[in-house]
Amino acid sequence: MTGIDKAAVENLLKTFTDPNVATDLISAKSVKSIAIDGNDINVKIELGYPAKSYIPVLTEQLQQKLATLTGIGKIQLDVNVNIVAHSVQKTLKPLPNVKNIVAVASGKGGVGKSTTSVNLALALATEGANVGILDADIYGPSIPTMLGLSGQPETLDGKFLLPKTSFGVQTISIGYLVDPDQPMIWRGPMVTGALQQLLTQTQWSDLDYLIIDLPPGTGDIQLTLAQQIPLSGAVIVTTPQDIALIDAQRGIGMFEKVNVPILGLVENMSIHICSNCGHEEAIFGKGGGLAMAEKNNIELLGSLPLDISIRQQADSGRPTVASDPDSRAAEMYKAIARKMAAKLAMRARDYSGKFPNIVIQNT
């Protein structure tokens, strides 16, 4: 009896599209090996992004796909995740103990950027990654409130801050270090200096992703931060109306100038959901995020609703992904997080840590 042909397996896998990377498994280099024993096959797949909730779906769909091969016997699928470090701006070096830093930015305030940042961080953690979040909004730190944290962080040897942890996510914020009622009347250089200290003098622990919630806008502070932080990528948050999209376009332009890849666009408050009747209405307009994504040749990672429960949960210190993990909104955040991480996984890797130090000695 003739066994299964390896080429037939590869050709079949080429017809299966991973929705998170928007390409087939072969092109994405996710298929690491195909072993054939007569009519039995063993396929090893490695995803470059956290996908705890997607792996069972992927496994079932691939089982069904491979079962269509004529004469197929046993099918064994081994799916695992390997998150690696990716390249940053050429003038900067990656941060120790942090594989990837992703900035979440917006051209203007009031678009739900911090709420999105927190829920994306929690979503990545839920999907199986080690995650941290740095609150870079020195003037208006909100991450402590959203994660239900307060008080001074502990220090290590009086030099490094130990991040505070909530829902499995490591966090640091100026909000932990100053009184909540104290106004931060600082000029730009003081702000960027404080952020650099928070970034480099925090003892992060083996992070796959560090999400940085940047302050809103595209002024001198934001540009300086984008130039000084070793970023693997950035995500832009906007709302559908024209005035927000104009400012978001400036944010895209800022990252392009400093050679930071845009991983995608998140359209927040795209649909208002009535808490009484469930009626959906696009009160801020429709299709703006998709039009902007197409204009800039970037991906629209997802659209999130204007839902009162998202606001209430963030204000109470238990964001949506943590407080209501099975909700529609939580599933949206997790889908956006997977796509964001998958987009990054397709980019160039950082190999700086793999090269040995060469020391020349005169003997």
Side-chain angles (χ1 to χ4, degrees):
M1 183 176 179
T2 304
I4 296 293
D5 181 46
K6 183 178 180 180
V9 177
E10 290 181 345
N11 289 334
L12 192 63
L13 292 174
K14 286 179 181 178
T15 67
F16 183 92
T17 299
D18 179 346
N20 296 301
V21 296
T23 190
D24 66 271
L25 293 172
I26 298 294
S27 298
K29 299 181 180 179
S30 298
V31 179
K32 296 304 176 183
S33 69
I34 300 172
I36 298 175
D37 183 8
N39 288 336
D40 301 335
I41 61 173
N42 179 290
V43 180
K44 295 185 184 296
I45 293 173
E46 183 179 278
L47 303 177
Y49 59 92
K52 187 175 180 179
S53 63
Y54 175 59
I55 287 176
V57 176
L58 172 65
T59 302
E60 182 180 352
Q61 290 177 343
L62 284 178
Q63 285 276 1
Q64 295 174 357
K65 193 82 169 176
L66 292 168
T68 63
L69 287 169
T70 303
I72 191 70
K74 293 180 180 179
I75 302 171
Q76 182 176 346
L77 292 168
D78 297 324
V79 183
N80 63 72
V81 170
N82 181 29
I83 301 170
V84 302
H86 291 82
S87 59
V88 300
Q89 303 97 308
K90 292 181 180 179
T91 57
L92 301 177
K93 293 183 179 180
L95 201 66
N97 300 322
V98 179
K99 291 180 182 177
N100 302 288
I101 301 179
V102 177
V104 179
S106 65
K108 67 187 296 293
V111 299
K113 172 184 55 60
S114 294
T115 303
T116 302
S117 298
V118 167
N119 277 294
L120 287 183
L122 291 171
L124 289 169
T126 301
E127 290 295 296
N130 294 326
V131 186
I133 183 167
L134 188 153
D135 187 352
D137 195 345
I138 300 296
Y139 295 121
S142 56
I143 299 302
T145 299
M146 290 184 179
L147 289 175
L149 294 170
S150 62
Q152 296 266 344
E154 297 180 13
T155 61
L156 184 67
D157 299 330
K159 296 179 181 179
F160 288 90
L161 297 171
L162 293 176
K164 299 175 79 68
T165 301
S166 180
F167 306 111
V169 172
Q170 301 172 45
T171 78
I172 199 68
S173 169
I174 197 71
Y176 300 139
L177 303 171
V178 300
D179 188 280
D181 297 326
Q182 178 182 338
M184 303 303 293
I185 310 174
W186 290 359
R187 294 188 184 276
M190 294 178 66
V191 172
T192 54
L195 179 60
Q196 279 289 352
Q197 285 186 293
L198 288 177
L199 180 66
T200 61
Q201 294 181 18
T202 297
Q203 191 68 30
W204 303 107
S205 178
D206 299 323
L207 294 183
D208 296 312
Y209 305 98
L210 175 60
I211 302 298
I212 296 191
D213 180 28
L214 285 180
T218 54
D220 179 66
I221 292 174
Q222 291 80 7
L223 179 59
T224 302
L225 297 180
Q227 291 173 322
Q228 293 181 355
I229 300 171
L231 297 172
S232 300
V235 172
I236 305 296
V237 179
T238 187
T239 50
Q241 75 266 38
D242 291 344
I243 192 167
L245 292 167
I246 291 169
D247 290 329
Q249 185 66 53
R250 295 191 182 103
I252 292 172
M254 179 185 73
F255 285 111
E256 288 176 343
K257 285 184 180 295
V258 294
N259 297 316
V260 174
I262 305 294
L263 302 177
L265 184 75
V266 176
E267 185 184 74
N268 205 16
M269 308 182 198
S270 60
I271 293 289
H272 171 249
I273 302 174
C274 178
S275 57
N276 289 323
C277 66
H279 174 69
E280 297 185 358
E281 185 176 9
I283 61 175
F284 289 126
K286 200 171 184 180
L290 180 59
M292 170 164 281
E294 291 176 345
K295 174 185 175 182
N296 291 277
N297 195 29
I298 60 177
E299 184 169 353
L300 178 63
L301 297 172
S303 298
L304 294 161
L306 177 60
D307 189 334
I308 190 173
S309 63
I310 295 177
R311 194 273 302 166
Q312 291 172 332
Q313 290 157 349
D315 285 352
S316 69
R318 293 184 57 83
T320 302
V321 174
S323 64
D324 197 2
D326 296 324
S327 65
R328 176 188 174 194
E331 289 300 323
M332 289 177 176
Y333 280 119
K334 285 187 280 189
I336 291 171
R338 287 195 302 269
K339 287 184 178 180
M340 178 193 77
K343 194 76 175 176
L344 179 57
M346 298 294 286
R347 299 197 62 84
R349 298 187 178 191
D350 171 52
Y351 293 102
S352 60
K354 298 183 180 296
F355 291 101
N357 291 324
I358 300 174
V359 178
I360 300 176
Q361 294 180 326
N362 294 322
T363 57

